[in-house]
Amino acid sequence: TTGGLGYVDLQTNRGPSKTKQQEGERAMKKSLLLIAHFLASASQPQPQHTHKNNQENKATTTTKKSSLEMKITGIALLAHLASTADAGRLLGSYPTEAPTNAPTEDTCTCVTDYDCGPICVKPYNSATGTCQGGGPSPTAAPVSKGDCPCDKPRHIPTECEVKHLIELLDDAVSIDHGFAPQNLRASFHDAGTFNQNVPGEGGANGCLMNHPPMLLQGENAFLDPPITKLRSIKNFWEAHEETCCDERCLRVSSADIIQFAGLFATQRQRDDSAPVGTIDPAKQAALLAYQWGRPDELNCVPAWTENLPGMNPPGLTIMDRCPAAGMEIEEKMMHRNGFTKTEANVLIGAHTIGRIRNTFGGPGPWALNGDDTATPEGGVFDNAFHKFLEFDVAATDVPSFDTNTAAFDETFPNWFRVSSGPLATVSHLDSDVTLKLSPLGPLPDFTSDTTSFANDNAGFLARFDKAFDKMTKLGVDKNILSLPKPCCDGKSSEQLAAGFVAEVQH
């Protein structure tokens, strides 16, 4: 185990038997993703199951994992996945000379993983490196030469290729429910580095995946496992035979995959047109409307993470903490990122799924039905975060919250928690609570939007989708973005939708 990542050496000369290789495409995908989950989370503390349906959900998840473990099909493929995890770079152990598996004559120079299949290995502080595969690709694109990119790689996927990516992400979340909210956090932590007041500073630029020092910043420290897993999925997807179109391979940017994975989380986990965990035609249409083509930043600066809202320092009173949190939202999300106060409020509502992880004294959800174990398919993406603030937090302004923090009964230096009763384990940051309270002084008043979102789930989802789309394009020239291209086999988006209907009915 290195750097908080489970990194297993599975190099071996044994390969899959011919019979096993033919067992089934989807089983192979899930097996690889299961190992990616193990690699990325081996050293993470195991979450406590607190939901009332805990036993049923735990049994469901265990059954899924057991059935998938029986389908693992080939150690050589797992060796490739282990190599793509690339955990060593997160420790700062950058190679300063050629690796022991020295590049062959086919090895190409590169600047990011975006140029390679699968990894760009760069010496410390070097702008360029060499493409290293660390083993055979699982199903290398026929037009690729070794681990080098093809001559004219495509950066915009087809609709069929996006459907394949949806399946891969769905499999990954079905194995690890926490992967969805973690991807949603990662999408903001990449794009939220944008500063509209400084040309070229931050944005949705892939630095979170391509520049390891970004993951060593305090704001991003808990994101290394999901980013490692997402990188493995990206590399597997791009190397797959289904992503070769017109004899041109696919190489999407890290910036694109990070934002798409965040969008996928918000669609898969919502319970509107279809239940949580089901990708119906409406959700599929939203995912196919995602625009691709964001370039990766070649000169990432870790200090850009200072544009993300930070946590209050310890030692402040509640009378100081709440205004300070409001100032962080105003300065970072509004003045630097360029969001309105309504957009900032609704985007913070993304906390409705997932848990506070690895930062406080134990994981807890922001909303009970958004917890990883809330349903057999993970948390529900809805307005429960705002409903808790509106209907369960008793105070309406800072002075009254200073004297009565209910529903919270535990106060920490910069967060609050409910320790008992039906809302036990719900935890909120200072910046969450301030959305409920009338401000002190000339600060933005978020209360009317909080009330509106709490009373209208459809309205919350609609406003969130618009704000999230804006976020995914921070710092990006919108003129270069493009919808997915038509499928190589001529299938239309309507035919793809019909295929989804057939799958759902089946």
Side-chain angles (χ1 to χ4, degrees), residues 9-29:
D9 183 5
L10 297 173
Q11 299 288 350
T12 176
N13 292 324
R14 290 185 298 147
S17 69
K18 193 169 184 179
T19 301
K20 289 290 185 182
Q21 287 176 328
Q22 298 171 343
E23 280 191 348
E25 184 67 26
R26 196 164 177 85
M28 183 175 290
K29 293 177 195 171

Side-chain angles (χ1 to χ4, degrees), residues 347-402:
L347 286 172
I348 294 173
H351 286 168
T352 199
I353 58 170
R355 294 170 171 168
I356 295 177
R357 302 167 193 275
N358 302 341
T359 305
F360 309 104
W366 279 271
L368 287 180
N369 75 331
D371 187 77
D372 296 347
T373 61
T375 79
E377 290 294 339
V380 181
F381 186 80
D382 62 8
N383 64 341
F385 168 85
H386 286 97
K387 290 175 72 173
F388 172 83
L389 290 174
E390 181 70 14
F391 303 118
D392 294 302
V393 175
T396 58
D397 55 43
V398 178
S400 60
F401 187 70
D402 184 44

Side-chain angles (χ1 to χ4, degrees), residues 458-478:
F460 163 75
L461 292 174
R463 292 304 297 265
F464 180 89
D465 290 343
K466 290 182 179 180
F468 187 81
D469 181 69
K470 177 179 178 177
M471 185 199 80
T472 68
K473 298 170 183 174
L474 291 181
V476 179
D477 180 1
K478 300 177 182 62

Side-chain angles (χ1 to χ4, degrees), residues 15 26 46 96 100 128 163 167 171 207 214 245 251 280 300 315 355 425 433 456 459 465 487:
R26 196 164 177 85
Q46 294 301 308
T96 55
T100 54
T128 61
K163 180 177 181 291
E167 292 173 351
D171 290 342
C207 285
M214 298 295 285
C245 182
R251 294 288 184 270
D280 68 340
C300 301
R355 294 170 171 168
T425 72
V433 176
D456 182 6
D465 290 343
C487 296

Side-chain angles (χ1 to χ4, degrees), residues 57-401:
N57 297 336
K58 185 174 181 180
T60 302
T61 303
T62 301
T63 300
K64 278 189 176 182
K65 289 186 177 180
S66 298
S67 63
L68 293 173
E69 289 176 83
M70 295 175 65
K71 296 179 180 178
I72 292 178
T73 59
I75 299 301
L77 298 183
L78 306 185
H80 167 77
L81 195 55
S83 72
T84 62
D86 196 24
R89 296 201 294 173
L90 302 183
L91 286 177
S93 56
Y94 306 86
T96 55
E97 57 185 8
T100 54
N101 54 333
T104 66
E105 62 181 2
D106 289 330
T107 299
C108 299
T109 58
C110 55
V111 289
T112 71
D113 290 351
Y114 176 36
D115 301 321
C116 294
I119 301 169
C120 181
V121 178
K122 293 187 289 186
Y124 181 59
N125 282 340
S126 172
T128 61
T130 56
C131 296
Q132 295 290 306
S137 297
T139 49
V143 292
S144 297
K145 299 178 180 179
D147 288 325
C148 298
C150 56
D151 296 335
K152 296 180 180 179
R154 296 174 295 111
H155 306 313
I156 307 297
T158 67
E159 291 181 336
C160 289
E161 289 167 340
V162 173
K163 180 177 181 291
H164 183 207
L165 177 60
I166 291 171
E167 292 173 351
L168 290 172
L169 291 171
D170 184 53
D171 290 342
V173 176
S174 71
I175 294 167
D176 174 15
H177 296 158
F179 190 46
Q182 287 172 328
N183 280 332
L184 185 53
R185 308 282 181 269
S187 64
F188 179 74
H189 282 239
D190 196 51
T193 57
F194 177 65
N195 187 345
Q196 64 180 350
N197 306 305
V198 181
E201 181 169 300
N205 55 24
C207 285
L208 194 61
M209 181 174 287
N210 293 337
H211 193 57
M214 298 295 285
L215 289 171
L216 300 178
Q217 304 307 302
E219 291 293 333
N220 297 330
F222 62 96
L223 289 173
D224 51 355
I227 286 294
T228 296
K229 189 186 304 184
L230 185 60
R231 181 191 292 113
S232 295
I233 291 171
K234 174 182 181 291
N235 292 335
F236 177 76
W237 177 52
E238 292 176 334
H240 198 274
E241 60 185 3
E242 291 185 20
T243 56
C244 179
C245 182
D246 296 331
E247 295 188 349
R248 295 178 63 191
C249 65
L250 180 66
R251 294 288 184 270
V252 303
S253 67
S254 297
D256 274 342
I257 201 75
I258 290 172
Q259 297 305 319
F260 183 82
L263 174 65
F264 173 82
T266 69
Q267 291 296 323
R268 184 190 190 274
Q269 300 308 123
R270 67 179 59 188
D271 184 13
D272 53 358
S273 62
V276 173
T278 300
I279 304 293
D280 68 340
K283 294 180 181 180
Q284 180 211 354
L287 294 171
L288 288 176
Y290 176 82
Q291 294 180 304
W292 300 77
R294 294 160 187 76
D296 281 338
E297 173 61 55
L298 304 183
N299 299 292
C300 301
V301 180
W304 290 345
T305 57
E306 295 176 6
N307 295 327
L308 296 166
M311 300 197 47
N312 282 331
L316 299 179
T317 65
I318 288 178
M319 291 294 292
D320 294 326
R321 287 167 55 176
C322 294
M327 290 175 64
E328 273 291 291
I329 297 172
E330 181 183 39
E331 172 59 26
K332 305 293 181 65
M333 296 187 72
M334 296 172 64
H335 291 171
R336 298 189 193 182
N337 294 166
F339 295 117
T340 66
K341 68 181 180 70
T342 299
E343 290 169 337
N345 189 330
V346 78
L347 286 172
I348 294 173
H351 286 168
T352 199
I353 58 170
R355 294 170 171 168
I356 295 177
R357 302 167 193 275
N358 302 341
T359 305
F360 309 104
W366 279 271
L368 287 180
N369 75 331
D371 187 77
D372 296 347
T373 61
T375 79
E377 290 294 339
V380 181
F381 186 80
D382 62 8
N383 64 341
F385 168 85
H386 286 97
K387 290 175 72 173
F388 172 83
L389 290 174
E390 181 70 14
F391 303 118
D392 294 302
V393 175
T396 58
D397 55 43
V398 178
S400 60
F401 187 70

